[in-house]
């Protein structure tokens, strides 16, 4: 994959973030999502790639744009694209933290074709012994192994978990072990990625969120050198059938990070609302600023890109209303 592709892709996540940011706090998740989808799609179609959306906004019959299998780009190298035009639609609608626009890219065939189901996930940052935490370990073992590896007490650790009734037991167990918790309302790509930020104050991410978001998080952590494992979680027969349609035979399989995102991958995200990782969009007369992160697995380089956009000179911003 071309080096420049990563930097080109920032323009795409920026466009989606600028579009979605207009709807921050407006209480309309759908409108915010649609604005991001439209802008992301237009911008992707301006890139010199032969792109295929493999993780997208659902299947063709249920999503009008950026559906799985949709072709994007002007032509060029064959690239598979995993995307979430607005990761955190509810966060955006409420003006809450950590909403962002996300794209990961890999050479064809390198992302797991994850169905739109849930995934049980566990993630830690870089520089830790391989397997220091494991999806099949008890909460206590994971916390004590992690504490040992980080030369910390369990009571110093901070675990990020999505605030959901389905996590009640896990939350209780973490508390019983004496570790601390950050409960997030939404946005587990940002939650998983936070483990890789030295100063984020998050040591471990755990819990059940979207499977597509699991692939995106895996791509991000491939770039940072973090660890990630995931297992699909099905709520009903329909979801099982969906997974089988994507060629998934072993429903109980534990996916290691490079089974979710293998080979050279890149990850790009732009903040929509302020978050632990990225600052949200700031709008002012005639323009706006954005902050993005661009990472590649090949080199492990991670860049923060601060951009100032001049709406008077960029005609395509007209589409943003
Ligand atoms: C998950 C999580 C996402 O939405 O998909 C969540 O992975 C939906 O979970 O990051 P619920 O069905 O419990 O609401 C996000 O938080 C935002 O897209
Ligand atoms: Mg989405
Ligand atoms: Mg999402």
């Amino acid at each position: 994959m071309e080096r420049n592709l990563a930097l080109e892709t920032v323009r795409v996540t920026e466009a989606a973030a600028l579009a979605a940011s207009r709807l921050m706090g407006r209480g309309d998740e759908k409108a915010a999502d649609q604005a991001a989808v439209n802008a992301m799609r237009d911008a992707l179609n301006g890139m010199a790639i032969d792109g295929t959306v493999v993780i997208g906004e659902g299947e063709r019959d249920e999503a009008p744009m950026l559906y799985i299998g949709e072709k994007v780009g002007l032509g060029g190298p064959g690239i598979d694209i995993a995307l979430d035009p607005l990761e955190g639609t509810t966060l955006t609608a409420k003006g809450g933290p950590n909403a962002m626009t996300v794209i990961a890219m890999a050479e064809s065939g390198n992302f797991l074709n994850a169905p739109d189901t849930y995934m049980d996930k566990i993630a830690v940052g870089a520089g830790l012994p391989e397997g220091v935490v494991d999806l099949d370990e008890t909460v206590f073992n994971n916390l004590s192994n992690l504490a040992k590896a980080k030369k910390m007490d369990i009571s110093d650790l901070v675990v990020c978990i999505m605030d959901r009734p389905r996590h009640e037991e896990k939350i209780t167990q973490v508390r019983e072990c004496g570790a601390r918790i950050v409960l997030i309302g939404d946005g587990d790509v940002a939650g998983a990625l936070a483990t890789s930020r030295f100063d984020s104050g998050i040591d471990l991410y755990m819990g059940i969120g979207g499977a597509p978001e699991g692939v995106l998080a895996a791509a991000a952590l491939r770039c940072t050198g973090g660890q990630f494992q995931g297992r699909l979680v099905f709520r009903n027969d329909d979801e099982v059938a969906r997974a089988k349609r994507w060629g998934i035979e072993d429903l109980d399989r534990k996916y290691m990070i490079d089974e979710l995102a293998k080979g050279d991958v890149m990850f790009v995200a732009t903040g929509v609302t302020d978050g632990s990782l990225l600052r949200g969009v700031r709008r002012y007369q005639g323009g706006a600023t954005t902050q993005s992160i661009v990472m590649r697995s090949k080199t492990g380089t991670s860049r923060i890109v601060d951009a100032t956009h001049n709406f008077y000179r960029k005609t395509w911003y007209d589409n943003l209303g």
Side-chain angles (χ1 to χ4, degrees):
M1 256 193 318
E2 279 284 320
R3 205 157 45 194
N4 287 342
L5 199 57
L7 289 170
E8 268 288 293
T9 306
V10 182
R11 300 174 60 248
V12 180
T13 55
E14 283 175 350
L18 285 166
S21 74
R22 288 196 62 94
L23 290 141
M24 183 182 79
R26 303 286 303 164
D28 190 343
E29 310 185 2
K30 284 225 166 72
D33 203 21
Q34 191 65 54
V37 169
N38 293 350
M40 185 171 276
R41 187 190 202 217
D42 284 350
L44 273 173
N45 278 327
M47 288 183 77
I49 55 169
D50 178 4
T52 307
V53 176
V54 295
I55 299 282
E57 293 289 284
E59 294 172 40
R60 180 176 204 154
D61 47 355
E62 50 192 48
M65 284 179 181
L66 292 173
Y67 54 85
I68 299 164
E70 180 167 341
K71 297 281 181 193
V72 292
L74 298 165
I79 300 284
D80 276 359
I81 304 173
L83 53 79
D84 197 344
L86 185 53
E87 161 58 1
T89 54
T90 307
L91 297 172
T92 304
K94 293 181 179 172
N98 282 314
M100 57 195 200
T101 61
V102 183
I103 296 185
M105 292 190 183
E107 273 155 24
S108 298
N110 284 352
F111 288 126
L112 177 78
N113 283 57
D116 194 3
T117 60
Y118 280 131
M119 182 183 273
D120 195 11
K121 317 173 190 182
I122 193 163
V124 290
L128 293 164
E130 191 61 39
V132 62
V133 297
D134 195 295
L135 214 45
D136 291 325
E137 271 302 341
T138 61
V139 166
F140 175 75
N141 284 348
N142 278 329
L143 291 174
S144 64
N145 290 339
L146 184 60
K148 237 176 268 158
K150 288 195 149 188
K151 298 191 168 56
M152 292 162 73
D153 293 330
I154 289 183
S155 58
D156 292 328
L157 292 176
V158 178
V159 186
C160 178
I161 304 179
M162 262 208 298
D163 194 2
R164 293 291 187 281
R166 63 177 176 267
H167 294 146
E168 222 171 276
E169 204 186 316
K170 201 159 255 162
I171 291 168
T172 305
Q173 288 170 355
V174 171
R175 287 178 178 153
E176 277 170 5
C177 293
R180 300 178 295 156
I181 299 182
V182 167
L183 288 174
I184 55 171
D186 264 301
D188 73 351
V189 177
L193 189 47
T195 61
S196 278
R197 302 284 298 184
F198 164 70
D199 60 349
S200 71
I202 304 288
D203 299 290
L204 174 64
Y205 175 81
M206 282 200 300
I208 297 174
E213 281 86 353
V215 174
L216 289 166
L221 293 193
R222 281 287 321 287
C223 298
T224 66
Q227 298 179 43
F228 184 96
Q229 298 174 351
R231 176 178 281 126
L232 297 173
V233 174
F234 306 101
R235 285 172 298 180
N236 51 49
D237 293 348
D238 177 57
E239 291 190 349
V240 170
R242 201 179 275 228
K244 290 196 167 150
R245 250 186 292 139
W246 291 118
I248 289 168
E249 304 283 342
D250 181 359
L251 298 176
D252 200 38
R253 176 168 178 167
K254 176 171 70 178
Y255 291 96
M256 306 304 279
I257 188 165
D258 48 12
E259 295 174 306
L260 296 162
K262 63 169 178 274
D264 290 348
V265 301
M266 47 171 256
F267 177 92
V268 183
T270 300
V272 176
T273 60
D274 286 348
S276 50
L277 178 65
L278 296 168
R279 222 169 83 114
V281 176
R282 295 282 186 281
R283 311 185 71 91
Y284 49 82
Q285 175 64 38
T289 60
T290 54
Q291 188 171 61
S292 309
I293 188 164
V294 185
M295 305 191 287
R296 296 206 310 146
S297 67
K298 191 171 183 175
T299 53
T301 309
S302 162
R303 290 187 175 83
I304 295 288
V305 178
D306 281 304
T308 302
H309 305 271
N310 185 325
F311 291 169
Y312 296 128
R313 299 201 202 157
K314 285 186 180 175
T315 50
W316 60 266
Y317 284 123
D318 291 349
N319 299 338
L320 306 181

